[in-house]
Amino acid sequence: MEISFLSIVLSLLYLSATNVATAKHGDFVRTMDRKLLGLDKEKLSHFRLYWHDIYSGPSPTALRLVRPPSNSSGTSFGAISIIDDPLTHGPELSSKLLGRAQGFYAQASQQQVGLLMVMNFAFTQGEYNGSTITVLGRNPVFDKVREMPVIGGSGRFRFARGYVQVRTYKFNQSTGDATVEYNVYVLHY
Ligand SMILES: *[C@@H]1O[C@H](CO)[C@@H](O)[C@H](O)[C@H]1NC(C)=O
Ligand SMILES: *[C@@H]1O[C@H](CO)[C@@H](O)[C@H](O)[C@H]1NC(C)=O
Ligand SMILES: *[C@@H]1O[C@H](CO)[C@@H](O)[C@H](O)[C@H]1NC(C)=O
C-alpha cells in the first residue's frame, strides 16, 4: 500500500519534471535528475585481469586480417588483427574466465611497434555479467608499462571513464601468443 502510494507520488513528480523540461527544451530533449537513473553515487573500481592473445593452435583468439606490405617498415606498420581474447582471473589460460576482449588492433607506428587498440571488455561473471567497458588507446607493446584510456561502458559501466595500465606477462616471439596483465581503474556508478 505504502509502496504503491510512494510510486504514484514519484511518477507524478517525474511527469511534472518531464513537462517542465519539455516546455523548456522542446520535445526531443529534456533535462533529467540524475537520481532517476540511479546515478548519484560514483565509485572507483580496480579490476585486475589477464588478457590472452592466441594466434597458435587449433582455436586461435586473434586473427591477422591485414598483413603489412612486405617492406612497409621494420615495425609491421599497417598490420591489423581482430581479437576475441579471453580475460581471466589469473595469468593461466585455465584460470577463471571473467569475460572477453573483443575488437581489433592496428600497427599504427612507423618508428616502433605501437598499436592502436579498440576493444570492448565484455564481462560474463557475477554482477558485471553483460556489462562492457570500452578501451581505446595507444599501446607501444615493448614498453614495460603502457596506459590506455577507458572511454566508456554499458550496463554497470554506464558513464564509465578511466584508464588501464598493462604489462606483458608472457610473449612467445615465434607464435605471437601473448599474455598481458591489465589493471583497469574505472569510475562508474
Ligand atoms: C620495397 O620493395 C619494393 C619492391 O620490392 C622495392 O622496389 C623498394 O626498394 C623497397 N623499399 C625499401 C625501403 O626497402
Ligand atoms: C550471464 O548472463 C547470460 C545471459 O543472461 C546467462 O546466460 C549466463 O548464465 C550468465 N552467466 C553467469 C555466470 O551468471
Ligand atoms: C613458443 O611456442 C612454441 C610453439 O608452441 C613452443 O614450441 C615454444 O617452446 C614457445 N616458446 C616459449 C619461450 O614459450
Side-chain angles (χ1 to χ4, degrees):
M1 195 66 171
E2 225 167 67
I3 287 170
S4 64
F5 177 68
L6 186 63
S7 65
I8 289 166
V9 169
L10 281 177
S11 40
L12 285 174
L13 282 174
Y14 176 78
L15 282 175
S16 63
T18 309
N19 289 336
V20 169
T22 304
K24 230 187 273 177
H25 295 304
D27 58 3
F28 66 98
V29 59
R30 61 196 166 102
T31 303
M32 285 192 69
D33 180 349
R34 56 171 61 211
K35 289 196 178 74
L36 290 173
L37 292 179
L39 298 178
D40 41 345
K41 237 176 29 235
E42 194 174 39
K43 56 180 183 274
L44 174 63
S45 301
H46 169 210
F47 296 83
R48 191 181 65 181
L49 320 153
Y50 289 85
W51 177 100
H52 303 268
D53 210 23
I54 305 163
Y55 284 92
S56 67
S59 43
T61 64
L63 298 176
R64 176 149 291 185
L65 277 193
V66 176
R67 293 182 182 281
S70 60
N71 62 1
S72 64
S73 74
T75 65
S76 301
F77 179 64
I80 300 176
S81 291
I82 189 144
I83 61 169
D84 184 5
D85 285 350
L87 296 167
T88 61
H89 182 261
E92 303 312 323
L93 189 53
S94 56
S95 77
K96 188 173 182 176
L97 183 70
L98 301 177
R100 306 194 74 89
Q102 299 171 337
F104 63 87
Y105 53 81
Q107 214 309 64
S109 169
Q110 291 182 293
Q111 282 75 47
Q112 63 186 135
V113 181
L115 304 176
L116 161 68
M117 302 197 75
V118 182
M119 299 182 285
N120 293 313
F121 284 9
F123 290 90
T124 52
Q125 285 302 324
E127 62 175 309
Y128 297 102
N129 188 14
S131 297
T132 66
I133 57 175
T134 301
V135 175
L136 191 157
R138 177 173 181 270
N139 184 3
V141 295
F142 292 117
D143 287 6
K144 193 167 188 299
V145 183
R146 294 87 73 185
E147 185 169 317
M148 292 178 276
V150 170
I151 62 164
S154 70
R156 301 302 291 255
F157 296 111
R158 286 175 183 165
F159 293 102
R161 59 209 161 91
Y163 61 96
V164 297
Q165 281 187 327
V166 314
R167 293 170 178 79
T168 302
Y169 178 81
K170 207 165 69 180
F171 177 59
N172 186 320
Q173 199 105 39
S174 64
T175 58
D177 293 355
T179 301
V180 180
E181 179 185 327
Y182 270 71
N183 283 282
V184 182
Y185 300 89
V186 62
L187 286 166
H188 62 109
Y189 290 94

